[in-house]
Amino acid sequence: MKKHYLTILLSLLVASPAHSAIQTITGSNFDLVYDDTKLGLFGAPSVAGNNIFFTPNNFKAESLNGAGIVTSNSTINGMQLVAKNGFRFGSIDLTEFGDYLMRGPESFVSVSGQLRAFDGANFAATNTAASLIVSASTPLSIIDGLNHDWQASASITNATASKFGLTGWLSSANIVNITVENLLTAYTEAGPGPEQAFIEKKAIGVGLIVTSAVPEPGVWSSLSAGLFLLGLMATRRKNKI
């Protein structure tokens, strides 16, 4: 009987399709390949044009009445941008949005994080990072008990130096690996009145600025041959006249 049950169990395991964690979203200039088990609080991505969007789920930090420091952090790992059709990356711009609320003089909120990119074929030399910076137009400083919006951004361009000083690698990479790290912090200190500090991430977008595709060596050869033929035809026509 036990052998019979074991046979049934093995047959079910073989018949059940295995769930793959690797997902691919097809885009016009690049494909997005990611591991759906490494998205953390960012949520599943979507691609529109040359932009990748995430809608976070419950990514927030809140401290009440002297609870001290409360943090919420998450990191996206294992995300790749695979260029196609001769596309070359010009820059990777990370933009994030959210809201916050502070009530009481001893309340404080902050958002920090990092955008990191590298070429998987040469990880050590191309490892490049940029810190997330809150926009000066949306400072996290208003204490009035009301919700206020915030915006933060980070950018890696072809001129941004890697950890070891290398520049210019981004436009030469066919596959760019991306990591996004975020940390939300809320703080309250016990006081005579109510204290509340709340900050939440509402949306995050990784936008890619498109640059002109760099012609491959074969394209340059064809172009040179075409220019040579045009010059030869022009010379023959001149001589004939």
Side-chain angles (χ1 to χ4, degrees):
M1 182 65 68
K2 289 183 179 180
K3 184 177 180 180
H4 176 68
Y5 284 134
L6 181 59
T7 302
I8 294 176
L9 179 59
L10 289 174
S11 64
L12 289 174
L13 289 174
V14 172
S16 300
H19 173 69
S20 174
I22 305 301
Q23 308 292 335
T24 300
I25 300 178
T26 301
S28 55
N29 292 315
F30 63 88
D31 293 338
L32 173 64
V33 181
Y34 65 95
D35 187 334
D36 62 10
T37 66
K38 297 181 179 181
L39 295 173
L41 297 175
F42 286 88
S46 60
V47 176
N50 289 324
N51 297 279
I52 306 167
F53 297 100
F54 300 84
T55 303
N57 181 24
N58 203 34
F59 197 166
K60 60 185 179 181
E62 183 175 25
S63 178
L64 298 171
N65 301 321
I69 297 177
V70 177
T71 62
S72 178
N73 65 285
S74 189
T75 301
I76 299 177
N77 282 312
M79 188 164 65
Q80 291 184 330
L81 308 180
V82 183
K84 58 185 182 181
N85 303 325
F87 178 76
R88 290 294 181 265
F89 300 105
S91 70
I92 301 172
D93 300 302
L94 170 66
T95 303
E96 301 184 353
F97 303 91
D99 62 0
Y100 74 97
L101 178 153
M102 289 189 289
R103 179 182 286 111
E106 305 301 330
S107 58
F108 170 82
V109 295
S110 70
V111 55
S112 59
Q114 189 181 74
L115 170 67
R116 185 177 295 271
F118 60 89
D119 184 349
N122 192 4
F123 166 78
T126 60
N127 200 328
T128 306
S131 296
L132 196 66
I133 299 175
V134 177
S135 173
S137 63
T138 60
L140 302 172
S141 58
I142 303 176
I143 305 176
D144 58 5
L146 301 175
N147 279 66
H148 297 278
D149 293 329
W150 62 265
Q151 179 179 340
S153 61
S155 181
I156 294 175
T157 71
N158 202 45
T160 305
S162 70
K163 184 177 180 181
F164 296 100
L166 179 67
T167 60
W169 68 268
L170 187 59
S171 63
S172 301
N174 292 319
I175 300 178
V176 177
N177 295 261
I178 292 187
T179 297
V180 181
E181 174 198 46
N182 275 175
L183 173 65
L184 302 181
T185 302
Y187 170 83
T188 58
E189 184 176 315
E195 298 281 343
Q196 180 183 15
F198 172 83
I199 184 167
E200 183 173 19
K201 186 181 303 299
K202 295 293 188 183
I204 172 176
V206 180
L208 301 179
I209 297 178
V210 180
T211 58
S212 300
V214 179
E216 299 296 331
V219 176
W220 282 117
S221 299
S222 299
L223 181 60
S224 299
L227 291 175
F228 174 76
L229 289 176
L230 287 175
L232 183 61
M233 290 175 63
T235 301
R236 287 181 176 178
R237 178 175 297 181
K238 182 178 179 180
N239 291 337
K240 184 177 181 181
I241 292 175

